[in-house]
Amino acid sequence: MSVLDPANLSGSAIGWPDVPVSAGRPVRRAGAVVVLGSQGALLYAAAKAKHLTAFQRSADVGVVSAGSIETGAASNGLTEGGVSSTESAFETSPDFGMTNDEQLRKAATELAYALKRSGNGTVTFSDMNGEPLNARHPFARILHQAGFIPVPQGMRLY
């Protein structure tokens, strides 16, 4: 949903979740989109600025840090090269038994749907949590499965 939507309390009544140090702080601006889950904001997309942010989850709610995706931590099911681990190294979140990787996949799919529905044409994201978003980035595979195409500038949705 749009970050300016009255139903989105993130950034106004409720503070934004923690973001990785290298990522910029999300703001409520026209054109930005946030993907919400049962635990709050999962993804923030500033389409005009070409930035994508995955929010970190605190350990006290039992969810793996979404910010660890750029490091390729095994806790979210990715190895250093961004290839899915064959072992069951997933940690489960308290909501419906979904793994963090499944949550991010669903969030990326919802992001693609919301951006296509807005009708603004093509959208390109050049970085994820402050790291360049190229074909070697672990989250690029998840975005590709959601409909994004790798391009030299990052990941593009047509």
Side-chain angles (χ1 to χ4, degrees), residues 19-105:
V19 294
V21 177
S22 59
R25 193 84 181 136
V27 293
R28 291 177 62 96
R29 276 201 189 125
V33 177
V34 65
V35 178
L36 301 174
S38 62
Q39 297 292 323
L42 296 173
L43 288 176
Y44 170 83
K48 291 179 183 175
K50 301 182 180 185
H51 302 297
L52 190 59
T53 303
F55 295 106
Q56 295 178 345
R57 296 276 151 217
S58 59
D60 57 288
V61 292
V63 179
V64 179
S65 168
S68 67
I69 193 160
E70 72 265 0
T71 62
S75 63
N76 66 6
L78 299 176
T79 62
E80 285 272 345
V83 180
S84 181
S85 171
T86 56
E87 301 172 346
S88 65
F90 295 110
E91 291 190 30
T92 305
S93 71
D95 51 338
F96 309 114
M98 287 195 309
T99 63
N100 191 47
D101 195 43
E102 289 171 7
Q103 284 181 332
L104 288 174
R105 285 182 200 285

Side-chain angles (χ1 to χ4, degrees), residues 119-151:
N120 292 337
T122 63
V123 178
T124 304
F125 292 109
S126 61
D127 68 79
M128 167 81 170
N129 291 346
E131 300 286 325
L133 187 59
N134 54 29
R136 302 185 133 234
H137 195 283
F139 196 67
R141 187 173 46 107
I142 293 172
L143 286 174
H144 186 65
Q145 291 172 347
F148 289 80
I149 305 297
V151 294

